[in-house]
Amino acid sequence: MQTLLAQIHLPEQWKPTEKYTDEQIVNMFLTTCSRSPYTMRNYRNAIAKFRRFIGDKSLQDVTWREIEVYKIGLLEGLLSHANKPQAPATVAIHIAPLRSLYKWGSDPNIGMFKHNPTTCIRIPKIPVNSKNHYLTKAEVLRLFEQLKQQGLRDYVIGVTLVLLGIRVSELVSIQWNHFHTDPEGASMWLTIRGKGDKEREVKVPHMLWTLLQAYDATKPGPSGPEDKLFPLSVRIVEKIIKKAREQCGMEKKATPHWLRHTNATLALLRGASLQQVQESLGHTHINTTQRYLHTVQQIKKAAPDYVEDCFKDSL
């Protein structure tokens, strides 16, 4: 066995050793993660930030105390350049990669860590403040008009985000070969690779497919199957939406993710089922999709409206 193992060419971090360095452990963890490149980059950055915090201490020697102090430092702003306290959601984003790392490494079959120091760490409660993060139909049309003035590419990006409800990281990953027709050739579908590297199929409305083809026709040469629709970074797309929002005088701080919320809200208002929206958005749990019901219920007829009906002829 040892002779055969010696003949196999393994990456440096996989070669047997008495003790792995922190760098080797992190590399092995990231190698085994089934997540998008965007998430992997965030995981690497979050783990690197924690390693800077613990200084010379090894990841293998970390206890719950270091992680708890790190969490408190994030909450109180002691670990930011501007000494600005971090929101609970931001703290959760910093702690989640550490939880994944230690859960993976403390598995008996992995054996990198003797214990998991994150099991007793509690994340601050994250308020659900996105239920009103949607645009009305009139606001969407205003945004579209401004995006159209910025250029066809920006307009197509906005329409794609609203009609498909995809994440901005998913948008910038779309290639032309991700599109395909159904067995009867009646409609176009798009294969999306979302969080956790999970694939889902999203139906492409005919209007959007026509617009995408028109946009592609404006390019100098024909697009290849593996060419990206929008070879841009997430940050650039965010700037495109921000510019349009500001130029059209919109008070709402709309972002690409707001357009995802808008998609879900409008779909439910128009009669889509929770399951349809869940599948389209790629939510793992139906509870995540159910949050949009609160917004829809507020928009639709509420309890006071029914009471008003009782007195319409009397008041």
Side-chain angles (χ1 to χ4, degrees), residues 129-164:
N129 54 11
S130 62
K131 62 181 181 181
N132 292 324
H133 288 182
Y134 66 90
L135 302 181
T136 64
K137 178 181 176 181
E139 289 169 335
V140 170
L141 293 176
R142 279 173 54 197
L143 187 70
F144 282 171
E145 189 60 36
Q146 177 57 42
L147 287 168
K148 192 179 294 185
Q149 292 180 27
Q150 291 176 193
L152 180 60
R153 182 201 64 182
D154 292 5
Y155 174 62
V156 176
I157 285 174
V159 174
T160 303
L161 287 170
V162 172
L163 292 190
L164 299 186

Side-chain angles (χ1 to χ4, degrees), residues 14-25:
W14 290 100
K15 292 181 180 179
T17 181
E18 292 184 1
K19 186 175 181 179
Y20 292 100
T21 66
D22 283 356
E23 193 66 31
Q24 288 175 320
I25 292 174

Side-chain angles (χ1 to χ4, degrees), residues 22-182:
D22 283 356
E23 193 66 31
Q24 288 175 320
I25 292 174
V26 172
N27 285 336
M28 278 190 283
F29 165 66
L30 294 175
T31 300
T32 58
C33 279
S34 297
R35 291 180 168 84
S36 69
Y38 181 69
T39 301
M40 294 283 283
R41 184 195 68 187
N42 290 342
Y43 267 41
R44 184 178 290 279
N45 290 341
I47 294 171
K49 184 173 182 176
F50 178 70
R51 289 179 62 192
R52 289 194 296 270
F53 169 76
I54 60 176
D56 295 333
K57 179 165 256 186
S58 167
L59 288 172
Q60 295 171 315
D61 297 327
V62 166
T63 68
W64 69 270
R65 296 179 182 83
E66 284 81 26
I67 299 178
E68 184 67 24
V69 172
Y70 180 64
K71 182 191 76 176
I72 294 172
L74 291 170
L75 284 170
E76 296 183 354
L78 304 177
L79 302 179
S80 66
H81 296 297
N83 293 324
K84 182 180 178 182
Q86 302 295 302
T90 304
V91 174
I93 289 173
H94 281 79
I95 299 298
L98 301 180
R99 280 183 161 173
S100 295
L101 170 66
Y102 280 107
K103 181 180 180 181
W104 166 83
S106 61
D107 185 294
N109 293 316
I110 303 296
M112 290 294 171
F113 306 120
K114 294 179 180 179
H115 66 285
N116 181 354
T118 68
T119 53
C120 60
I121 302 298
R122 298 291 176 261
I123 300 299
K125 186 176 180 180
I126 302 174
V128 180
N129 54 11
S130 62
K131 62 181 181 181
N132 292 324
H133 288 182
Y134 66 90
L135 302 181
T136 64
K137 178 181 176 181
E139 289 169 335
V140 170
L141 293 176
R142 279 173 54 197
L143 187 70
F144 282 171
E145 189 60 36
Q146 177 57 42
L147 287 168
K148 192 179 294 185
Q149 292 180 27
Q150 291 176 193
L152 180 60
R153 182 201 64 182
D154 292 5
Y155 174 62
V156 176
I157 285 174
V159 174
T160 303
L161 287 170
V162 172
L163 292 190
L164 299 186
I166 58 178
R167 302 176 179 91
V168 64
S169 58
E170 296 168 347
L171 175 84
V172 299
S173 299
I174 297 175
Q175 298 176 184
W176 285 103
N177 60 3
H178 293 170
F179 292 97
H180 59 90
T181 61
D182 61 23

Side-chain angles (χ1 to χ4, degrees), residues 128-135 165-167 256-269 272-274 276-283 285-300:
V128 180
N129 54 11
S130 62
K131 62 181 181 181
N132 292 324
H133 288 182
Y134 66 90
L135 302 181
I166 58 178
R167 302 176 179 91
H257 208 70
W258 275 54
L259 303 185
R260 178 172 163 85
H261 293 316
T262 300
N263 171 280
T265 304
L266 292 177
L268 290 171
L269 274 172
S273 68
L274 273 177
Q276 286 177 313
V277 175
Q278 178 191 14
E279 292 173 5
S280 181
L281 297 188
H283 289 158
H285 303 290
I286 193 69
N287 290 346
T288 306
T289 316
Q290 284 177 328
R291 293 177 182 175
Y292 295 108
L293 281 181
H294 298 296
T295 302
V296 172
Q297 288 165 354
Q298 287 176 347
I299 296 173
K300 287 184 174 181

